[in-house]
């Protein structure tokens, strides 16, 4: 087996330690600790696992987490009232609403209700706009985690051909902007793209974020490409990505595993956003 793993788990541990050290040093100057509110509506089992992992990471990073578990019968108005209270609460510096929400609640209304200063997921249109013009500070965590993983692994982005499978607002689109800002030449593919393998085979950096188990096969990948697998798919109680890891890892120069790749990087970048939101609100440079 080739030793070409981009180890998101190990790198995320380093990032969380760095954040914990910074928060500890800030705590010598201020008694206030960063506070992150996590709201879960309903009891989707996958969401419960994500919320638990986020809480654990907050503990590791020195961020106080406040969990709000609401019933799936909660109305949109009740949820908006809670968000308003958290927006006004000076002990809360970041607010995260775990997605997906039950179908009777409008996701865009909820995300727009979160104060942009406390929007640690980076989904508020204000923060999306800031990202677009290159002035973002609270960046969406999954694409920011991908960039951080590439940079900390010394993968050169500038001048490379990057191909992204998936154009969602939380992964594909913001990642395209971030890679463009790092001077890659970016192509975004989606479900209506024709001749997909012709495009993916040209990629120096190939990112799969479609939610289709092991969709990317070795004949879609250029020899020596860097392959980033964002997908999280449950197949017979096992987690698999959007890439056929077994075969593609033989061809890729570097590749992320699932689990242990982009998942932990996403959470580490959430902690980083928690710290940034705290510093911005406390006016700490
Ligand atoms: P969405 O369902 O919102 O978007 C999927 C995208 O993939 C769409 O743009 C869709 O195209 C495109 N797509 C679907 N099938 C194909 C295909 N056969 N060929 C080309 N494009 C296709 O998904 P998300 O972006 O939210 O998530 C994608 C995956 O990443 C999921 O498995 C999710 O669980 C995972 N994920 C992992 C995270 C992590 O922390 N590791 C964080 C977020 C997501 P179209 O727009 O035309 O419909």
């Amino acid at each position: 087996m080739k030793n070409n793993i981009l180890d998101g788990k190990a790198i995320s541990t380093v990032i969380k330690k760095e954040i914990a050290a910074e928060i500890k040093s800030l705590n010598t100057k201020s008694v206030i600790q960063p506070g992150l509110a996590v709201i879960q509506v309903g009891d989707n089992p996958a969401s419960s696992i994500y919320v638990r992992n986020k809480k654990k990471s907050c503990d590791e990073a020195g961020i106080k987490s406040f969990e709000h578990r609401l019933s799936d019968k909660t109305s949109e108005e009740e949820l908006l009232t809670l968000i308003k209270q958290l927006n006004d609460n000076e002990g809360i510096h970041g607010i995260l609403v775990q997605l997906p929400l039950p179908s009777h609640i409008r996701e865009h209304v909820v995300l727009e209700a979160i104060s942009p200063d406390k929007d640690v997921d980076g989904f508020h249109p204000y923060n999306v706009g800031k990202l677009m013009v290159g002035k973002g500070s609270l960046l969406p965590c999954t694409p920011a985690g991908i960039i951080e993983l590439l940079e900390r692994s010394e993968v050169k982005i500038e001048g490379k051909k990057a191909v992204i499978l998936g154009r969602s607002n939380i992964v594909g689109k913001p990642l395209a902007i971030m890679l463009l800002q790092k001077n890659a030449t970016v192509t975004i593919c989606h479900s209506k793209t024709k001749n997909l393998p012709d495009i993916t085979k040209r990629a120096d950096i190939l990112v799969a974020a479609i939610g289709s188990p092991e969709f990317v096969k070795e004949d879609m990948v250029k020899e020596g490409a860097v392959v980033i697998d964002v997908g999280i798919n449950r197949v017979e109680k096992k987690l698999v990505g959007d890439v056929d890891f077994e075969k593609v890892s033989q061809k890729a120069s570097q590749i992320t595993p699932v689990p242990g790749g982009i998942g932990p990087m996403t959470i580490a970048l959430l902690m980083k956003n928690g710290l940034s939101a705290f510093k911005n609100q406390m006016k700490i440079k």
Side-chain angles (χ1 to χ4, degrees), residues 50 141-143 164-172 188-193 196 208-213 215 220 229-233 240-242 258 261-267:
Y50 294 139
C141 304
T142 301
I164 304 168
L165 301 184
R167 57 173 164 184
S168 72
N169 288 333
I170 63 169
V171 188
I188 311 178
C189 303
H190 46 79
S191 67
K192 307 290 185 288
T193 301
L196 204 57
I210 60 178
S212 180
F215 177 88
M220 296 171 71
D229 191 352
V230 183
I232 302 178
N233 309 288
V240 296
D242 289 344
V258 176
I262 300 308
M265 288 304 295
T266 297
I267 300 191

Side-chain angles (χ1 to χ4, degrees), residues 147 150-151 154-162 178-186 204-205:
I147 300 289
L150 292 172
E151 289 189 328
E154 293 178 10
V155 173
K156 197 168 169 241
I157 300 175
E158 183 163 312
K160 299 292 176 187
K161 289 193 195 78
M178 289 180 203
L179 286 168
L180 194 59
Q181 283 162 357
K182 298 284 176 190
N183 298 321
T185 301
V186 184
D204 302 310
I205 299 172

